[in-house]
Amino acid sequence: MSAGSPKPAERSPREERRRAARRAMQPREESWFGALGVAGDTQAPEDGWVDAPESRHDGDWQAVGAKESESRFLSRQARRIVGSGQSAFQRIYGAFLSARATLGLALVLSVVISSAFGNRPPILVAAICVAYAAITCSMWLFPRVRPAVRPSTLARLRSPQWIATIGVDIVCFVGLHAVSPASSLNYVALLVLPVLMAGVLTPRLMAFATTACITLALLALAAFGVVKGGDLTVLLTQAGLAGAGLFVVTILAGELAGRLAREELTARGSLELARQQAQLNRLVIEEMTEGVIVVDRRGRVRAANPAARGLLVTEGLSSEAPFQLWGVDAWSALVKSVERAFSDGRWPEGGRDVVLTFDSGVTRTLRLRVRFTRRRESNATEELCVLFLEDVRSVQARTRQEKLAAMGRVSAGIAHEIRNPLAAISQANALMAEDATTPSQRQLTRMVTDNVERLKRIVDDVMEVSPGAAREPEVIDVTALVASTCSEWARTVELPLGEQSVLRVDLPTQPVGVLFDPEHLRRVLVNLLDNAKRHASNVPGAVRVRLSVRDDSRAVVSVLSDGQPIPPDVERYLFEPFFSTRSRGTGLGLYICRELCERYGARIDYRVRPPAEPNRNEFFVAMRRQPLPTGGVGEARLHLTS
């Protein structure tokens, strides 16, 4: 030790004795192969493993209870070890109980056979055999009779479990050896049973102590035989060899028990890892937007996630796997593709399109990709394949979105550059308007002004959805904001208010707080109101605005109109940019509404109301609720009756 290194702290004799006592209590150091430590990928018992000496088998193992669908991820060896739902300790303990009961019946049968052939054993021998058979058979046949056993209970000599099993065996077998005459049966071999039980189910120190007690008993009986006139050398040699053999049995039993415990621990660790992996795989597959189907060569669907089950039917979800893919007319094209894939053993990387035709006449085009579970043998046939299904419309929409995202970044830069020359054109037109004297000149300047304003609106729309710093959402009173926005919009479009008005507004009586930017929410509402008025009739209540509170987390603003329902082929493109049914429309209105709503965690969508309702077209915005700050509601609520 160098001079500058610190000296270790000296321990007092009392602390040294405490440390030695704690080390003596740890089963890892006492047992032959230890109560195996818990690996990093398994779960340790709550009470730890230092408090009490236990056997090398952990009695706290619980059956994992993996589902049958998960068992395919496990090895056959792991399923064999843990499939019974019992720990190795419980299985071995039950086997010892069965062996003891069988041995007890065999002892009684030997007494009966000996008596039948005229070699009647002593009464005490017969009594011991009958008593042992009664005890062992009752413990085996009647589980309520035997006390509950755990590794910690068999680790104590005074426990009822140890006394009722190993203790009874030692007393009975040593007693039989002591009271039986020398010419009768040799009962020393029976002592192997308690030695085996102690070596397998108890800590190593107790196993050696049990074997030592049996050996001392044999030596004592040999010494008693010498006193009665027996040969000293023969009797002591027999007792010594029997004791040595029992010690060898104890060592071998401990070795086998330790190996079994390690195998079970490894198997259960593998089972737990496989179960967790199966759960993760199932969670990922179920949450995928792409349909996934596992099908075998006989057309039986082994697994299918919700996305795939939704693509196989027109509405809702198909039945859960397993089900038969063959026999459904609507799936005939898919079946032919699967048969072709199994026949060829390969499939194009990009997939092929498959058209499903349902009984209602609805068709759905799916992009089908097939992947096989490749085997090591080149000539082996594939028994399973994985189908990846995706609606072609979704593929096309995703492609469009990627293109539009790139185009949006370019458009934002172009719009920014257009602003300066557009402002110059507006100013120059204003100067020319001052000098215009003839009606034709004034008409031309008005045309320039109108088109400049239109270009400004387009530039503002493009810049609104361009990437940039989003505003922080505010807690606003959506009741007051909807009321004021509807009033301002009605005055702007010169729409009279009242009972016979085209616009009807249904609002709750209490303020409702939501997270949104007030200007952005006004813009969304005005856009929806403009679209509703454009396609609605002029009857009273043709356009209806409704604010409802669904629960503590969501508030919904709906804008309804009595126009014709939007066709399905148009509905799917409603919120895409640059899509418009009007010749002079930019197609950015609903797209901007969706972008603004997504910024604040809201959702905008369209749905068709039932035919019984007059206002069938409904655009709704679901917003996040938030309690209003105390001291006011932010905006005064306006009445829509004037």
Side-chain angles (χ1 to χ4, degrees):
M1 180 182 297
S2 62
S5 60
K7 296 182 179 180
E10 297 183 356
R11 301 187 181 95
S12 63
R14 177 179 295 180
E15 185 177 356
E16 291 290 344
R17 288 194 296 271
R18 288 180 178 175
R19 289 178 175 270
R22 283 197 296 268
R23 287 196 298 268
M25 292 178 62
Q26 294 181 359
R28 282 189 176 184
E29 298 180 1
E30 287 196 3
S31 61
W32 276 109
F33 303 95
L36 294 179
V38 180
D41 56 357
T42 58
Q43 187 176 1
E46 294 180 357
D47 54 354
W49 52 270
V50 183
D51 295 339
E54 294 185 359
S55 74
R56 55 192 57 83
H57 294 286
D58 184 4
D60 290 336
W61 278 110
Q62 300 294 330
V64 177
K67 297 182 179 178
E68 184 66 23
S69 59
E70 298 176 4
S71 63
R72 62 177 62 95
F73 297 97
L74 309 178
S75 65
R76 183 178 301 176
Q77 183 72 4
R79 294 202 305 271
R80 182 185 63 81
I81 293 177
V82 301
S84 63
Q86 293 181 332
S87 66
F89 179 87
Q90 294 171 340
R91 294 195 302 271
I92 294 176
Y93 182 74
F96 273 119
L97 292 183
S98 302
R100 293 174 73 242
T102 304
L103 184 58
L105 295 177
L107 289 175
V108 173
L109 184 60
S110 65
V111 171
V112 173
I113 294 175
S114 299
S115 301
F117 284 95
N119 187 14
R120 189 170 185 178
I123 299 298
L124 191 55
V125 171
I128 293 175
C129 291
V130 172
Y132 181 77
I135 294 174
T136 56
C137 289
S138 62
M139 291 186 65
W140 179 56
L141 294 175
F142 306 105
R144 295 182 180 179
V145 176
R146 62 181 182 225
V149 63
R150 296 181 62 186
S152 58
T153 56
L154 281 179
R156 298 191 301 271
L157 292 176
R158 291 177 294 178
S159 65
Q161 293 82 358
W162 191 93
I163 294 174
T165 53
I166 300 175
V168 169
D169 289 357
I170 294 175
V171 171
C172 291
F173 297 156
V174 171
L176 288 174
H177 179 65
V179 301
S180 62
S183 59
S184 182
L185 297 176
N186 188 0
Y187 294 99
V188 176
L190 300 179
L191 293 170
V192 174
L193 182 61
V195 169
L196 275 175
M197 197 169 182
V200 173
L201 301 179
T202 62
R204 61 175 180 174
L205 184 60
M206 285 192 60
F208 277 136
T210 301
T211 307
C213 291
I214 295 175
T215 303
L216 291 176
L218 293 177
L219 292 174
L221 292 177
F224 184 73
V226 171
V227 173
K228 293 179 64 175
D231 189 352
L232 174 64
T233 304
V234 174
L235 293 177
L236 291 180
T237 301
Q238 290 177 350
L241 289 176
L246 294 178
F247 273 102
V248 172
V249 171
T250 303
I251 295 174
L252 294 178
E255 171 69 20
L256 295 176
R259 181 174 181 178
L260 178 62
R262 286 191 294 271
E263 285 186 359
E264 184 184 25
L265 184 64
T266 303
R268 291 190 180 274
S270 301
L271 180 68
E272 180 65 20
L273 286 177
R275 185 184 65 83
Q276 293 177 359
Q277 187 63 41
Q279 290 179 346
L280 290 175
N281 292 342
R282 180 179 294 108
L283 180 61
V284 171
I285 292 174
E286 287 184 353
E287 293 298 326
M288 288 177 60
T289 57
E290 188 176 19
V292 179
I293 296 178
V294 180
V295 61
D296 59 18
R297 186 175 288 273
R298 295 180 298 275
R300 183 176 176 83
V301 176
R302 303 289 187 89
N305 67 342
R309 292 165 53 203
L311 292 174
L312 294 178
V313 293
T314 55
E315 295 182 359
L317 299 176
S318 65
S319 59
E320 295 185 358
F323 58 87
Q324 193 66 30
L325 195 63
W326 277 220
V328 180
D329 295 337
W331 302 343
S332 58
L334 181 61
V335 170
K336 292 179 181 179
S337 299
V338 174
E339 290 177 344
R340 179 180 177 183
F342 274 117
S343 176
D344 297 343
R346 53 190 174 85
W347 197 259
E349 187 71 22
R352 291 193 178 104
D353 290 347
V354 177
V355 180
L356 303 185
T357 304
F358 299 97
D359 296 336
S360 59
V362 178
T363 61
R364 178 174 293 160
T365 305
L366 303 179
R367 180 67 52 82
L368 174 62
R369 294 185 295 116
V370 181
R371 297 295 180 266
F372 294 99
T373 56
R374 298 297 179 187
R375 296 176 179 242
R376 294 182 179 179
E377 299 83 0
S378 58
N379 58 349
T381 58
E382 296 287 348
E383 296 297 332
L384 293 175
C385 71
V386 182
L387 310 181
F388 295 93
L389 304 176
E390 192 171 8
D391 197 330
V392 172
R393 294 176 302 179
S394 301
V395 178
Q396 295 172 350
R398 185 168 61 249
T399 304
R400 286 194 300 269
Q401 288 295 332
E402 293 174 356
K403 293 180 180 179
L404 288 172
M407 188 174 62
R409 291 189 292 268
V410 176
S411 301
I414 295 175
H416 182 73
E417 296 298 329
I418 289 177
R419 278 184 169 179
N420 292 333
L422 197 61
I425 293 173
S426 178
Q427 292 175 0
N429 183 64
L431 293 175
M432 288 191 299
E434 293 178 358
D435 297 333
T437 57
T438 64
S440 60
Q441 292 177 342
R442 287 193 291 270
Q443 182 181 3
L444 291 174
T445 56
R446 282 197 301 270
M447 291 174 59
V448 173
T449 302
D450 293 341
N451 284 277
V452 166
E453 292 299 324
R454 184 185 176 196
L455 287 175
K456 283 184 178 180
R457 287 196 300 270
I458 295 176
V459 170
D460 292 339
D461 290 342
V462 173
M463 297 301 297
E464 186 69 41
V465 296
S466 62
R471 303 182 188 177
E472 289 294 329
E474 305 176 19
V475 181
I476 61 175
D477 179 10
V478 68
T479 307
L481 190 140
V482 171
S484 62
T485 302
C486 291
S487 298
E488 294 172 2
W489 176 81
R491 287 194 296 268
T492 302
V493 298
E494 299 179 353
L495 192 68
L497 298 176
E499 294 296 332
Q500 300 300 318
S501 175
V502 173
L503 177 64
R504 296 284 179 83
V505 182
D506 299 328
L507 300 176
T509 57
Q510 298 296 327
V512 178
V514 297
L515 281 175
F516 220 105
D517 180 79
E519 293 302 323
H520 286 169
L521 184 55
R522 273 197 190 91
R523 183 165 186 177
V524 171
L525 289 175
V526 168
N527 192 292
L528 296 179
L529 287 168
D530 288 339
N531 289 339
K533 181 179 180 297
R534 186 178 302 115
H535 298 94
S537 63
N538 292 323
V539 300
V543 177
R544 184 180 294 271
V545 178
R546 181 186 303 155
L547 174 61
S548 59
V549 177
R550 290 186 176 177
D551 49 38
D552 295 337
S553 61
R554 290 285 172 179
V556 179
V557 175
S558 300
V559 179
L560 305 96
S561 66
D562 63 352
Q564 291 296 324
I566 298 176
D569 56 341
V570 176
E571 179 183 345
R572 67 173 66 104
Y573 303 111
L574 280 177
F575 297 96
E576 292 190 3
F578 307 113
F579 175 79
S580 177
T581 57
R582 294 186 300 139
S583 59
R584 295 180 60 85
T586 62
L588 292 174
L590 291 177
Y591 173 71
I592 293 174
C593 291
R594 187 188 66 179
E595 293 296 320
L596 294 178
C597 290
E598 290 179 352
R599 290 185 184 182
Y600 306 104
R603 183 174 69 92
I604 183 172
D605 206 345
Y606 167 81
R607 62 189 171 196
V608 180
R609 304 294 297 176
E613 298 188 14
N615 303 84
R616 297 194 61 191
N617 288 313
E618 178 184 8
F619 284 88
F620 63 91
V621 179
M623 298 165 289
R624 293 184 296 168
R625 288 196 61 187
Q626 191 76 12
L628 288 167
T630 57
V633 294
E635 288 192 51
R637 182 175 176 183
L638 302 179
H639 296 283
L640 298 175
T641 57
S642 60

